[in-house]
Amino acid sequence: MDFLDLFMPAVWFVILALFLLLYVILDGFDLGVGILSLTSSDEQQRSVLMTSLGNVWDANETWLVLMGGALFGAFPLAYGTILHALYAPIYLMILGLILRAVAFEFRENSSQKRPWNLMFGLGSVLAAAAQGVCLGTVLTGIPTDSQGHFIGSTWIWLNWTSLLVAFTLIQGYVLIGSTYLILKTSGDLQRQHVRTAQIAAATTLIGALVITSTTPWVSSSLRERIFDHQFLPLFIALPLLGIALIVQLFRSLRLGQEVWPMVYTVLLFVLSFAGLGLLVFPAIIPPSVTIFEAHASITSLVFMLTFIGVLIPIMLFYNLYNYVAFRGKVPSLEQAD
Amino acid sequence: MPLDPLVLSRMQFALTAIFHMLWPVLSTGLAIFLVVLEGFWLRTRDPFYYRQARFWAKLYVLNFGIGVASGLPMEFQFGTNWAPLSEFVGDFFGAVLGFEGAMAFMLEAGFLGIMLFGWNRVPPVVHFLSTVMVAFGANLSVFWILSANSWLQTPAGGSFADGHFHVQNYFAAINNPFMLRSVWHMSLATVETSMLVVAAVSCWWLLRREAAEAIRRFFSFSLKLALVILLVVAPMQVMAGHESALQVAEHQPTKLAAIEGIWDTQPAGSAPEWSLLALPDEAAERNRWQLGVPGGFSWILEGRSRLSHDVRGLDSWPQADRPKMVGLLFYSFRVMAGIGIAITLLMAVTILLWWRRGLTAETLSQLPWLGWAWILAAPAGYLAIEAGWVVRCVGRQPWTVYGELRTADAATVLPAGEILTSLISFAVLYSVLLVCALWFGSRIIRRGPDLDLTAP
């Protein structure tokens, strides 16, 4: 039983991290394409952008719903406390996602596309920004009482660190969106997104450097973790690896490669994600509440694992199949049907 | 009156739930219709069925997109506005929401892309399988969501101690006393309402004088198919509704007393009146006036002339333990049941006419009232569902987990201004959404099917 007490919460932490990572990568490029749609010069280009998302946006967004449900089930205390603390940004994120999703549907059916285009783009920006704010706030820490209930102010999420993370996350989404479009388009549109990818890579790099270098000063618990002799080598290696990936990314963009820019970007996301995970683990409500204090009963975790764990490979398989069925360039309008 | 965060959180949940419910209904029921149509196409390879599938899929996807978007606040509200509830029941309730995401919703969303855009990308059998998976996922969602909601109505499978629900038997919790009949009732409701929409759209086209012959053939078929399905579903729904009322009588006596407007306990052996209409007065704890059927109550409840056991009246509970808004519950129940019965009668009349005159475009143009009756039945289906959910969830008050956790103890302590901001913006946004959805939906309907579409 002792083993399960340690093992099951950790397994669920990893599963949640996996869901979140999949969400951030998949809906990340989705939101990125949404933001980039604001830069499209004409309706035909925008149609290509939208078509590139048509078959996947629902499934991509579902990883967030899944993450929410799994967090609720596996760590109910964390679910309540974190969402309570982040009331405003969560609500703004939902607003952004709703605006974006319905604009997508309504645009399809509308002859007057302009307002929906704007709503799609701005909804994407809002959702991305709000997610960044949430991430930033959770990392810097959520004040709790001894029972793990939120005790901070309503405006806890409004600070420089979370805004900086929000800005960087938007850039990251634009970067992964650009590299997705390099993969899915050709000609002018592709050249245009090589440029946006280069710009976004540069701004993401700046953001990431600022975040990395200021993190030790943001909270004492993060500082302790970074300079812990066990973790220090990792926290030196991760940024170096990141820089190497960015160099490779720039190189592949210059060479006009189609697949590699997205691969490098995804790896960058994975790397940043691993860094964040190492920073907080085993806390689930940083800085004070750990997964061992906030988890549901062990039998619940086992029960959930038998149902959801088995499904993870199956879900991955049919999502992958969706991408395989629609591989290749986005067809132009006349080929679309 | 100072703004009470609890009231605001309840209003927000009610508002988002009432609006959200409008969309998944069609994407759950219509998905089954699409499976049937595509099945026809796969068997016969007649492009007629292919065009049917493509046309109705347009309404489906509009609904699905808005359904997903409008459903997001539902999940997150448990954390933002009802954090104590999340902590109290997370072990079970959260797990079920997780199952819904992983088993049902992901299945539907994952195969949706192929169903909508994959006609020329995957083999027909794989496409059919995708449509089946979409329908299966949607209906599995009904199962999990209704199981979770039923558990809040009749918590089972564990015990409550130190501010937590401890699950002892997951299968008993999932299969709680309300679950089976609730899932059944709601699944039938989604199919029934969706088929009412198909029938209404078809009748609207058949009543148009300028509709071409090919269009008439198209919608005659969809009308007939919808009616055939309704023929099975509508009477079953009346029975399922009655079964649901019986389970309320057994497990939630306060809800039963409220929906029937019973204030005083009716002893076993008596033959009380059944009130058809009434004006419940909560302050005076009685009905101001009522129009009733003498001796009807025991017939409705037990199918016999005298009650076999006591039925408790509302005044047998302290005020704090019984639902408020008795009038709302009383009439919501009547609206739901009345619509269910009216639709079954309309079904019966139509079948009779079908038998005698043949159900064709001509019959409908000779009997325009029949077409209009079906057109009006579509919004009535939605109204019945909303009324049913009001009965279900308002009738459970003052409990969130019936008999175990009061709604007042389930809400997060938040600044009222914060909830008010989100509440108002959701109200505005959802109202605009509904108007747009109706506008674009009617546009899809007005444009009609593409009869030149060639099958892959």
Side-chain angles (χ1 to χ4, degrees):
Chain A
M1 200 60 203
D2 280 343
F3 169 72
L4 278 183
D5 281 343
L6 291 175
F7 181 69
M8 289 309 299
V11 166
W12 272 101
F13 185 85
V14 171
I15 291 176
L16 283 169
L18 174 73
F19 288 166
L20 188 59
L21 177 66
L22 283 167
Y23 174 75
V24 168
I25 290 174
L26 296 173
D27 215 32
F29 80 68
D30 226 314
L31 289 164
V33 172
I35 298 168
L36 285 163
S37 74
L38 289 170
T39 66
S40 284
S41 52
D42 63 58
E43 210 45 60
Q44 219 166 359
Q45 286 198 354
R46 212 173 282 118
S47 286
V48 175
L49 262 56
M50 305 294 255
T51 310
S52 77
L53 301 179
N55 64 310
V56 290
W57 79 263
D58 273 322
N60 289 347
E61 207 165 286
T62 303
W63 292 106
L64 179 69
V65 176
L66 192 54
M67 214 274 294
L71 180 65
F72 190 175
F75 302 102
L77 179 67
Y79 181 76
T81 298
I82 294 174
L83 266 63
H84 176 188
L86 298 177
Y87 190 93
I90 291 274
Y91 146 76
L92 289 172
M93 174 188 81
I94 290 170
L95 214 60
L97 290 174
I98 293 180
L99 289 176
R100 171 180 142 62
V102 299
F104 197 93
E105 293 299 338
F106 291 159
R107 183 188 177 278
E108 281 287 307
N109 289 292
S110 175
S111 41
Q112 183 55 258
K113 308 227 183 262
R114 199 177 255 275
W116 306 120
N117 289 337
L118 204 63
M119 202 161 112
F120 183 68
L122 294 180
S124 305
V125 176
L126 181 61
Q131 285 172 7
V133 166
C134 291
L135 182 65
T137 312
V138 171
L139 275 182
T140 30
I142 290 174
T144 58
D145 62 16
S146 57
Q147 260 92 54
H149 297 142
F150 177 62
I151 48 167
S153 107
T154 313
W155 300 98
I156 178 180
W157 51 275
L158 193 64
N159 58 63
W160 281 111
T161 333
S162 61
L163 294 180
L164 177 65
V165 175
F167 171 78
T168 311
L169 191 67
I170 294 174
Q171 297 305 315
Y173 282 173
V174 169
L175 173 62
I176 195 164
S178 303
T179 56
Y180 176 71
L181 288 171
I182 292 172
L183 197 64
K184 299 297 279 186
T185 62
S186 51
D188 275 350
L189 212 50
Q190 192 184 45
R191 276 190 290 281
Q192 183 188 328
H193 289 110
V194 171
R195 271 196 306 280
T196 55
Q198 282 165 335
I199 298 167
T203 50
T204 312
L205 175 65
I206 295 169
L209 285 177
V210 177
I211 293 173
T212 310
S213 53
T214 55
T215 303
W217 286 272
V218 167
S219 83
S220 54
S221 58
L222 294 183
R223 186 164 57 240
E224 277 167 31
R225 173 56 61 93
I226 291 169
F227 294 111
D228 185 318
H229 67 274
Q230 272 186 315
F231 291 99
L232 191 59
L234 275 171
F235 285 114
I236 292 171
L238 285 176
L240 292 178
L241 213 56
I243 288 169
L245 277 172
I246 293 231
V247 170
Q248 280 298 313
L249 174 64
F250 275 117
R251 194 176 141 267
S252 69
L253 285 172
R254 210 176 46 246
L255 291 175
Q257 291 173 336
E258 288 192 338
V259 181
W260 285 106
M262 184 148 187
V263 173
Y264 290 131
T265 309
V266 168
L267 288 175
L268 269 171
F269 270 72
V270 175
L271 200 68
S272 326
F273 210 76
L276 298 180
L278 278 178
L279 269 178
V280 296
F281 184 85
I284 186 100
I285 313 172
S288 47
V289 183
T290 68
I291 55 172
F292 306 108
E293 294 157 329
H295 66 80
S297 69
I298 296 297
T299 46
S300 282
L301 295 182
V302 173
F303 181 66
M304 277 176 74
L305 188 65
T306 49
F307 271 66
I308 295 181
V310 178
L311 284 173
I312 292 173
I314 300 173
M315 285 190 283
L316 290 174
F317 173 76
Y318 63 69
N319 271 284
L320 189 67
Y321 177 75
N322 190 0
Y323 282 92
V324 172
F326 289 89
R327 70 191 173 277
K329 303 287 180 190
V330 179
S332 59
L333 285 177
E334 46 282 11
Q335 300 166 268
D337 211 5
Chain B
M1 192 184 91
L3 289 168
D4 178 355
L6 171 66
V7 173
L8 291 172
S9 278
R10 283 187 64 189
M11 281 172 69
Q12 178 165 301
F13 199 88
L15 178 106
T16 46
I18 283 171
F19 274 100
H20 169 62
M21 185 40 68
L22 294 170
W23 290 291
V25 167
L26 201 60
S27 48
T28 309
L30 204 54
I32 296 176
F33 192 65
L34 292 176
V35 169
V36 175
L37 290 173
E38 202 177 331
F40 276 132
W41 180 66
L42 206 61
R43 256 184 91 106
T44 62
R45 293 301 166 118
D46 183 345
F48 180 79
Y49 300 116
Y50 172 72
R51 289 167 199 148
Q52 289 274 357
R54 293 297 299 260
F55 173 70
W56 296 107
K58 280 187 199 165
L59 273 188
Y60 173 90
V61 65
L62 179 71
N63 260 275
F64 183 81
I66 307 171
V68 173
S70 64
L72 283 171
M74 304 306 304
E75 182 185 31
F76 287 98
Q77 271 178 105
F78 289 115
T80 52
N81 296 65
W82 305 97
L85 170 74
S86 304
E87 207 187 317
F88 190 70
V89 300
D91 275 24
F92 173 69
F93 196 84
V96 172
L97 287 195
F99 293 160
E100 196 260 348
M103 271 175 230
F105 190 39
M106 183 58 96
L107 200 63
E108 191 180 7
F111 281 100
L112 182 73
I114 297 175
M115 183 183 108
L116 293 176
F117 306 104
W119 288 101
N120 292 313
R121 297 239 170 202
V122 298
V125 174
V126 174
H127 191 278
F128 180 66
L129 197 71
S130 305
T131 312
V132 171
M133 285 302 156
V134 167
F136 180 60
N139 284 280
L140 213 51
S141 274
V142 174
F143 171 79
W144 285 117
I145 295 297
L146 266 289
S147 169
N149 184 280
S150 294
W151 185 85
L152 296 177
Q153 312 275 350
T154 48
S159 56
F160 294 88
D162 353 300
H164 282 283
F165 174 66
H166 302 273
V167 199
Q168 270 118 35
N169 182 340
Y170 285 91
F171 296 98
I174 291 169
N175 184 24
N176 59 76
F178 257 30
M179 189 278 282
L180 206 60
R181 282 175 283 189
S182 302
V183 171
W184 185 226
H185 195 29
M186 189 65 210
S187 302
L188 288 173
T190 62
V191 176
E192 186 171 7
T193 306
S194 305
M195 289 309 102
L196 289 175
V197 170
V198 172
V201 172
S202 307
C203 283
W204 183 78
W205 267 103
L206 291 172
L207 284 174
R208 290 183 76 171
R209 289 181 201 288
E210 68 268 30
E213 185 49 37
I215 288 274
R216 283 174 188 280
R217 228 182 19 250
F218 186 94
F219 284 109
S220 290
F221 173 79
S222 39
L223 177 63
K224 278 182 199 164
L225 185 55
L227 288 182
V228 167
I229 298 175
L230 276 173
L231 181 64
V232 181
V233 171
M236 266 210 268
Q237 180 67 311
V238 174
M239 288 190 289
H242 185 65
E243 289 287 309
S244 292
L246 294 185
Q247 73 183 12
V248 167
E250 188 182 342
H251 295 281
Q252 294 188 333
T254 52
K255 189 188 275 181
L256 178 78
I259 61 179
E260 292 296 355
I262 299 171
W263 296 95
D264 310 310
T265 298
Q266 310 292 329
S270 67
E273 189 176 69
W274 177 69
S275 26
L276 183 65
L277 300 174
L279 185 63
D281 182 338
E282 281 171 49
E285 305 200 340
R286 65 184 178 87
N287 296 334
R288 267 176 194 277
W289 58 264
Q290 64 181 41
L291 175 67
V293 181
F297 184 68
S298 50
W299 282 107
I300 284 187
L301 192 66
E302 299 185 30
R304 51 203 285 174
S305 61
R306 291 184 185 279
L307 290 174
S308 66
H309 57 279
D310 292 3
V311 174
R312 288 176 74 180
L314 282 169
D315 65 2
S316 68
W317 287 279
Q319 283 217 340
D321 288 350
R322 51 170 123 136
K324 304 273 180 271
M325 299 190 271
V326 177
L328 175 72
L329 292 167
F330 182 87
Y331 282 104
S332 295
F333 181 71
R334 271 148 192 77
V335 165
M336 168 180 66
I339 290 173
I341 292 167
I343 287 169
T344 311
L345 291 178
L346 178 62
M347 185 71 235
V349 170
T350 310
I351 294 297
L352 207 68
L353 289 164
W354 192 353
W355 201 278
R356 297 188 39 185
R357 303 179 153 205
L359 194 80
T360 59
E362 284 65 46
T363 315
L364 274 178
S365 50
Q366 285 158 13
L367 304 167
W369 63 268
L370 184 66
W372 280 106
W374 281 107
I375 292 174
L376 290 175
Y382 285 99
L383 189 61
I385 289 184
E386 297 287 9
W389 277 99
V390 167
V391 169
R392 192 174 170 90
C393 290
V394 179
R396 182 184 62 205
Q397 299 303 323
W399 306 99
T400 297
V401 184
Y402 194 76
E404 302 289 349
L405 179 70
R406 282 176 191 276
T407 308
D409 301 324
T412 313
V413 181
L414 286 163
E418 200 167 14
I419 314 175
L420 192 64
T421 312
S422 56
L423 172 62
I424 291 174
S425 47
F426 278 133
V428 173
L429 178 66
Y430 277 169
S431 306
V432 175
L433 261 186
L434 180 59
V435 172
C436 290
L438 287 172
W439 165 254
F440 287 113
S442 67
R443 212 176 138 111
I444 291 172
I445 295 166
R446 273 181 284 132
R447 288 197 172 159
D450 181 356
L451 295 175
D452 301 321
L453 211 57
T454 45

